[in-house]
Amino acid sequence: MSDSRVPRRRRFLVCEPRHFAVQYAINPWMHPDVRVDVDLAREQWQKLIAAYRAHGHTVDRVEPVAGLPDMVFAANSALVVGGRVFGSLFHAPERRPESVHYESWFKTAGYDVHRPESVCEGEGDLVWTGRYVLAGTGFRTTREAHREAQEFFGHPVISLTLVDPYFYHLDTALFVLDDSAGGNNIVYYPEAFSPGSREVLKRLYPDAVLATRDDAMAFGLNSVSDGRHVFIAPRAEALAARLDDHGYVPVPVDLSEFHKAGGGIKCCTQEIRS
Ligand code: ARG
């Protein structure tokens, strides 16, 4: 079965954690009194980049900016589908300045950037499935931004309500295993969603892989899949074993220092879909 899972080469945008730190608390994982080991963080991050490259993916870098400790979480900068860039407008004032830096990277790379009018935290809450966008709300990105994204992309945007503050971004509670037409499927942690949103996910993905709270607390839902390899937190071993049963190949990458800021593998990774 393993051989039926076909990887697709991806282009990722990342930001080196040169200025990474926990200096404020905007989610329950963040405790500014807890020290971040900056050298370890950089080492962990470099291993992620090396793992992507070793699996054939292209990695571009945006230059980090001093004073923006969360800029390493590149996923929040935009959602890019079909070469069209829907930018970001952060909820927290501390993160608002990040948007323009990412915007200039995109412009230099030849993309126009749509600036959302309402709070929107990129791929943190807007997840492209290959057919439509699953969109989180409840803590950060607003429903108004979901409507704006639908108008911008002309793809259906399906709003889902997040209810657990530990899973404040959609990409901490759900990820896409396979965005191809044939194998389209996701993994999610049902209790992170409102009852109605759970029903929606069940209808759309009757064969989804369901995760437990332990998987989610280990940042196992903040994974990146290329359709075959799943870059996943090593502490989410129960989930990794289930993915293996489903024919996927887990690639463990430890970003434990970033968990202190409420982020993991997916948070550090923006996908550019041309
Ligand atoms: N400290 C950051 C924040 O709370 C972490 C962002 C994580 N990014 C993500 N895509 N979930 O905004």
Side-chain angles (χ1 to χ4, degrees):
M1 187 181 181
S2 241
D3 293 333
S4 64
R5 304 291 181 198
V6 185
R8 185 168 57 72
R9 281 175 200 272
R10 312 285 166 134
R11 181 179 178 198
F12 295 134
L13 177 64
V14 299
C15 179
E16 194 206 323
R18 204 182 305 155
H19 308 292
F20 174 58
V22 177
Q23 291 170 349
Y24 45 79
I26 54 173
N27 67 55
W29 303 90
M30 299 176 89
H31 303 286
D33 43 312
V34 171
R35 264 189 58 82
V36 168
D37 183 336
V38 183
D39 293 334
L40 179 57
R42 192 172 304 179
E43 219 174 277
Q44 291 180 332
W45 182 87
Q46 273 158 356
K47 284 188 181 153
L48 175 65
I49 307 313
Y52 284 151
R53 292 198 167 127
H55 288 84
H57 305 300
T58 302
V59 181
D60 285 313
R61 290 168 174 233
V62 60
E63 188 61 16
V65 176
L68 297 177
D70 273 336
M71 196 175 162
V72 62
F73 299 117
N76 298 132
S77 67
L79 172 68
V80 187
V81 178
R84 305 197 68 212
V85 183
F86 190 80
S88 55
L89 175 60
F90 284 88
H91 176 73
E94 292 91 337
R95 294 199 67 185
R96 289 217 163 174
E98 292 178 33
S99 300
V100 299
H101 298 291
Y102 277 97
E103 197 175 303
S104 17
W105 184 91
F106 279 113
K107 286 190 174 152
T108 309
Y111 297 91
D112 282 334
V113 178
H114 173 89
R115 279 191 186 185
E117 280 167 24
S118 194
V119 166
C120 188
E121 301 200 349
E123 286 196 307
D125 279 318
L126 302 179
V127 174
W128 174 245
T129 65
R131 289 187 291 180
Y132 39 73
V133 178
L134 295 177
T137 189
F139 298 99
R140 304 285 181 91
T141 300
T142 61
R143 271 176 194 276
E144 192 45 47
H146 296 178
R147 281 191 282 274
E148 224 182 310
Q150 174 163 287
E151 206 51 41
F152 177 76
F153 288 114
H155 287 297
V157 174
I158 297 161
S159 291
L160 301 167
T161 303
L162 295 162
V163 295
D164 182 331
Y166 278 95
F167 311 111
Y168 58 93
H169 271 146
L170 183 59
D171 73 357
T172 62
L174 174 154
F175 73 95
V176 174
L177 275 170
D178 187 344
D179 62 6
S180 71
N184 205 262
N185 205 6
I186 64 169
V187 186
Y188 67 99
Y189 167 50
E191 285 71 29
F193 297 90
S194 68
S197 299
R198 255 180 251 173
E199 281 299 308
V200 169
L201 287 169
K202 212 198 272 181
R203 281 175 209 276
L204 291 175
Y205 295 99
D207 300 321
V209 176
L210 300 185
T212 64
R213 187 173 182 84
D214 284 349
D215 297 326
M217 289 301 283
F219 282 86
L221 280 306
N222 197 245
S223 298
V224 169
S225 171
D226 65 13
R228 175 177 174 82
H229 312 102
V230 181
F231 303 88
I232 187 167
R235 281 201 300 119
E237 43 188 7
L239 178 57
R242 289 213 305 293
L243 295 176
D244 183 78
D245 292 343
H246 281 79
Y248 295 94
V249 182
V251 179
V253 181
D254 190 11
L255 289 192
S256 58
E257 284 308 294
F258 298 89
H259 299 175
K260 297 174 178 173
I265 294 172
K266 175 57 206 172
C267 301
C268 291
T269 313
Q270 165 71 49
E271 184 171 345
I272 302 176
R273 302 171 189 82
S274 47

